[in-house]
Amino acid sequence: MNDLTFSPHPGSDPDLLVRPFPGREEGPQGYLLRLSEVNCLRVSELIQLGIRYDPVWLARHRLLPDPALDPDLRAHVARLAQGLTNTGRIWNHRHARFCPLCLADEPLWRAGWELYFHDVCPRHGVWLVDQCGSCGQPLRWNRDALLRCQCGSDLRQETAKGAPENPRHLSAFLEARLLGRDAVVPVPMEGLDVDQVQRLIRYLGCYMDLGSGAKPLKLRNAGRMEISWSVTALAAEIVFDWPRAFHDSLNRLQESSAGEKTGLRGLFRNAYHYLYKGFREAAFRPLRESFELWLAEHWKGGLARRNRRLPAELLASVQWIPGTVAANQLKISIARLRNLVREGRIDGQESVSTTGRRFLVVRRDQLDQISSQLVGEMSMAAAMEMLGIGKVRMQRILRLLFPSARRTFDKAFLPWCVPRAEVDGLLAIGAHLPVQSIPDEQQVSLGYVFKYWTWSADEIVALVEAVKAGSLVPQAMLNSARGISRWVFETAQLRAWQQRLNKGPPKWVSIPEFARILGVKQQVAYWITQNGLVRAERLGVLKDIGSRIRWEDVERYRQTYVFGREIAEILRCSSRKAARLLAEQGIYPVRGHSAEPSRQLIYARSDEIQRFLVQATGASPGAFKLVRSLGPGDSD
Ligand SMILES: [Zn+2]
Ligand SMILES: [Zn+2]
């Protein structure tokens, strides 16, 4: 390889007859050969003249246009020059390779061709050529002419052989990384530079190859097509089917080594050496994680005994552990663990084997955290017991009382979890109050209210919140009851409080009420909530409770959306015609993810609609009110 950056005569101006500029996709070595050819020199003579592939040097010697004229070209040269200086090992400068079709299109040596493991032409999808079809010799860099073999035959006449798609994508990706352009990025190569991509190709293409022998990564003549094509072909198939193909390869590797002396231990020791020592940069994390996912499965699987002697250092660095191991540590069922993963509370991945076996792995480093969270929760049954609230009532008020309560599973029949701290907080209220065995005549306990007063769930929640806020204070505690049902109030005060509560505007409306307010069918109101046009809060597990909407959110909805029907009223035309007129203005109804409600078009209130109505009706702005102000009375 010639040293393209070293100059023995830094100051002198080489005596060149012709000074062509480099191309914007041209490789450095290819450019020097082209430059030497047009000047009837050899590359070695050019180097002796002090030529350096460096933007400053080339510009000073009139081999680059003024940077202001072609900043892109200068950036290209600067990028490659930097690559030459910093990462010399990415360049395949011992061997020359090319795409005959590209050369026939344009007599330039493309930069990608000078990279290791860039084996396929991204444009034509053919394998690159590095051996002359006439003389049978490897093509040399110290030939005289860019477009001819050292034997004189025309390189553009070489036959190009079609290559598979994945190696082609891989070459396109390598070239794009070199030139700083966009391309399809294979998953494990995200964030890798050219050097890292090449190392990964070498690893996957050699190490995953069953026939590669004892020292698979020792690759002689990696720059020759006859050596490199099989490496890139295998690597490309693996990276573009990630991580499945990677895991399949590891399985095959394991099977093939099962009967041999090295066995699994050897396999893992090598993997450890390469993956954790060779690929220690952060950018290789997806690679290491994929390996750990596979390892965790086999560590746990039928091979567990045999794998017991895995290198300790490998196990220590493994982040993923089998779900069954994690579930045991957390003292929860595997189904519960699976649900924690689904809720995003712990990172996990699940695979399904060809035999249908499900296999879950989770991040070990998150177990401590999740474990402390689980300790902080109690089941709804336990909370009900402690608070002294009956089951049916609790289900109704649970979501209202504990906004952070959650169901342990998605399914309706599975239990809820209540934050222990909130339950404890409620129980602590009134701890200082006098304890009674029977309430006075003018007093009533909350337990009695639960049983005999027909209070709604909202009223009970409001009462608990009022007590928490200190605006309503229990007078004593009843010792025959449990939890908050021990609270004793003055009957008259409680009655008055309830009346005041119901005089104020309603805080919440149900979906049927919401539909009545809007003057639409319930089906439309459900569509509006399902598609998130208004925020609705699901209540409890019981079907008949459904969802409810805050009054402010009803108002907010009214300020944000308008029915096509209302616009039609203003325009004094049919809804259908109004929709057409609006569509002509490029104004379309809101769309949702579920099927649209029949014949009720909903529009976002916008300046365009306002302007259109002003124009269409000839009215002055503000002559009609798109926003009807709503009062609580409207909900009746
Ligand atoms: Zn080509
Ligand atoms: Zn030849």
Side-chain angles (χ1 to χ4, degrees), residues 99 101-102 121 123-124:
C99 165
L101 305 172
C102 281
C121 170
R123 280 155 291 274
H124 298 103

Side-chain angles (χ1 to χ4, degrees), residues 511 514 518 524-536 549-550 552-563 588-594 596-597 600-605:
I511 307 263
F514 181 52
L518 297 180
V524 178
Y526 279 112
W527 186 88
I528 289 170
T529 55
Q530 279 159 11
N531 288 279
L533 270 52
V534 71
R535 195 168 43 160
I549 304 166
R550 272 188 193 281
E552 301 96 87
D553 288 322
V554 174
E555 274 289 9
R556 195 171 302 129
Y557 170 83
R558 294 279 310 172
Q559 306 278 343
T560 317
Y561 299 101
V562 57
F563 285 110
Y588 297 97
V590 176
R591 299 210 160 266
H593 54 74
S594 59
E596 245 98 310
Q600 277 295 356
L601 300 178
I602 300 168
Y603 291 86
R605 292 180 188 276

Side-chain angles (χ1 to χ4, degrees), residues 62-125:
R62 288 167 288 137
L63 289 161
L64 262 184
D66 187 272
L69 288 179
D70 197 342
D72 286 357
L73 178 57
R74 195 183 168 90
H76 165 76
V77 172
R79 195 181 171 86
L80 296 196
Q82 202 184 13
L84 285 168
T85 319
N86 299 343
T87 43
R89 63 177 175 178
I90 67 173
W91 303 95
N92 180 13
H93 280 159
R94 280 181 59 184
H95 307 276
R97 47 169 69 170
F98 63 97
C99 165
L101 305 172
C102 281
L103 268 193
D105 286 347
E106 195 183 5
L108 275 186
W109 211 261
R110 295 186 169 268
W113 301 345
E114 299 185 18
L115 289 180
Y116 279 111
F117 298 124
H118 182 286
D119 291 357
V120 180
C121 170
R123 280 155 291 274
H124 298 103

Side-chain angles (χ1 to χ4, degrees), residues 566-614:
E566 296 169 81
I567 297 173
E569 275 169 29
I570 294 168
L571 294 174
R572 295 206 177 81
C573 65
S574 69
S575 292
R576 185 188 296 234
K577 186 170 180 202
R580 211 188 62 226
L581 291 172
L582 288 167
E584 282 169 8
Q585 302 296 314
I587 301 168
Y588 297 97
V590 176
R591 299 210 160 266
H593 54 74
S594 59
E596 245 98 310
S598 57
R599 280 184 283 176
Q600 277 295 356
L601 300 178
I602 300 168
Y603 291 86
R605 292 180 188 276
S606 62
D607 295 344
E608 286 86 50
I609 286 195
Q610 196 77 24
R611 269 199 299 277
F612 167 71
L613 289 177
V614 169

Side-chain angles (χ1 to χ4, degrees), residues 174-196:
L174 256 180
E175 184 188 51
R177 271 290 137 97
L178 178 68
L179 299 178
R181 295 179 186 172
D182 292 335
V184 180
V185 186
V187 177
M189 292 184 168
E190 218 161 288
L192 301 192
D193 61 25
V194 172
D195 175 55
Q196 290 168 329

Side-chain angles (χ1 to χ4, degrees), residues 400-420:
L400 310 179
L401 211 48
F402 304 113
S404 51
R406 37 171 225 97
R407 242 174 292 173
T408 45
F409 297 91
D410 292 343
K411 295 182 184 98
F413 55 84
L414 288 162
W416 286 78
C417 272
V418 183
R420 180 180 290 272

